[in-house]
């Protein structure tokens, strides 16, 4: 399984939601690393440690955005993306965004 | 040894035993007091970090865009998380009801969910929803620290 370290492979200060407003945004991270993993159905491990800190907008767009973009269920997300972090709060927050995005996708009806 | 000799040696041992026991008792009490003092200092330092976070986050949203404050906000959150994790391990089973990771999530979401880390930064009024959520999340965190600190009094 491929491991992506946010700090090493992307940025030590990931922040912001959209590429238009930040080069180190959640959208930029998702497009560069996660979208391909879903296309290839190749599970990836994302190492969240080692950065200065995260903005919620980054986390929501990177992980919740991935669920929205590909209409994933929470289970499909968990099978494709493994989170690695020592931070309990990051894990809780990302799980919350994934769950909400999956619920929203289910409510709107899947393609 | 005669019976009276045994009784005599027993009486000589009593003061020594009492002295050792007294020394042990004082040592344990001093150690406990010292430990509680260290724990209270950790609580106090963590509380200061939370208030510093509140100030920096408030400044960030209510003033012109200052990228260095973004770094400070997330950096302070990381430090607060480490402290709360440490405190949580110290109090073990006597922890307050609210789980501390959720406090960090609330603080992070209140400040960084929108209008954060982007070029189109907007100066928000002091009575905006973002500042309101910030105050609430900080109050929750301080309450958790206060409750934890009471375990060490």
């Amino acid at each position: 399984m491929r491991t992506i370290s946010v700090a090493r492979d992307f940025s030590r200060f990931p922040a912001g939601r959209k590429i238009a407003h930040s080069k180190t945004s959640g959208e930029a991270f998702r497009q560069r690393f996660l979208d391909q993993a879903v296309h290839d159905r190749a599970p990836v491990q994302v190492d969240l440690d080692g950065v200065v800190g995260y903005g919620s907008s980054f986390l929501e767009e990177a992980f919740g955005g991935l669920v929205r973009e590909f209409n994933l269920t929470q289970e499909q997300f968990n099978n494709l993306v493994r989170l690695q972090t020592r931070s309990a709060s990051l894990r809780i927050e990302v799980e919350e965004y994934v769950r909400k995005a999956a619920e929203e996708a289910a409510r709107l009806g899947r393609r | 040894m005669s019976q009276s000799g045994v009784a005599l040696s027993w009486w000589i041992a009593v003061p020594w035993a009492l002295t050792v026991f007294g020394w042990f008792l004082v040592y344990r009490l001093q150690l406990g007091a010292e430990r509680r003092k260290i724990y209270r200092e950790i609580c106090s330092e963590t509380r200061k970090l939370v208030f510093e976070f509140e100030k920096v986050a408030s400044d960030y949203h209510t003033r012109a865009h200052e990228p260095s404050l973004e770094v400070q906000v997330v950096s302070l959150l990381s430090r607060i998380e480490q402290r709360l994790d440490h405190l949580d391990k110290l109090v073990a089973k006597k922890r307050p009801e609210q789980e501390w990771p959720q406090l960090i999530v609330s603080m992070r979401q209140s400040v960084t969910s929108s209008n954060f880390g982007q070029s189109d930064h907007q100066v928000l009024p002091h009575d905006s929803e973002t500042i309101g959520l910030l105050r609430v999340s900080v109050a929750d965190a301080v309450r958790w620290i206060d409750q934890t600190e009471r375990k060490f009094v």
Side-chain angles (χ1 to χ4, degrees), chain B:
Chain B
M1 190 183 287
S2 69
Q3 211 167 13
S4 61
V6 171
L8 188 64
S9 63
W10 185 80
W11 276 108
I12 290 169
V14 167
W16 281 106
L18 283 174
T19 303
V20 171
F21 176 72
W23 174 83
F24 177 73
L25 199 64
V26 169
Y27 170 76
R28 286 296 301 266
L29 289 172
Q30 280 182 340
L31 192 69
E34 193 64 31
R35 195 176 289 151
R36 286 195 298 277
K37 188 181 163 197
I38 291 168
Y39 293 167
R40 286 197 302 272
E41 281 172 6
I42 296 172
C43 286
S44 175
E45 286 166 11
T46 310
R47 202 182 289 109
K48 279 182 195 164
L49 281 178
V50 172
F51 287 134
E52 190 182 344
F53 165 79
E54 182 181 29
K55 186 184 180 312
V56 171
S58 177
D59 285 350
Y60 175 78
H61 279 297
T62 58
R63 293 182 185 177
H65 190 214
E66 177 52 68
S68 68
L69 293 182
E70 289 169 359
V71 179
Q72 275 191 57
V73 164
V74 293
S75 170
L76 278 166
L77 266 177
S78 297
R79 285 167 65 193
I80 293 167
E81 177 160 14
Q82 285 170 2
R83 295 295 178 93
L84 292 185
D85 187 22
H86 187 192
L87 276 174
D88 186 63
K89 287 187 172 78
L90 292 176
V91 292
K93 290 175 184 170
K94 298 188 289 183
R95 60 175 56 91
E97 277 180 23
Q98 188 171 13
E99 294 289 338
W100 67 267
Q102 192 56 50
L103 298 170
I104 299 290
V105 171
S106 298
M107 283 195 284
R108 183 161 47 230
Q109 286 178 333
S110 70
V111 179
T112 68
S113 283
S114 60
N115 199 36
F116 187 85
Q118 51 193 52
S119 54
D120 62 341
H121 177 81
Q122 293 177 347
V123 177
L124 302 177
H126 285 276
D127 60 352
S128 64
E129 188 185 359
T130 297
I131 300 301
L133 289 172
L134 166 67
R135 305 271 185 248
V136 170
S137 64
V138 163
D140 286 344
V142 170
R143 195 176 303 116
W144 189 94
I145 295 166
D146 290 346
Q147 286 174 355
T148 305
E149 190 174 29
R150 275 187 223 118
K151 314 284 182 194
F152 305 128
V153 174

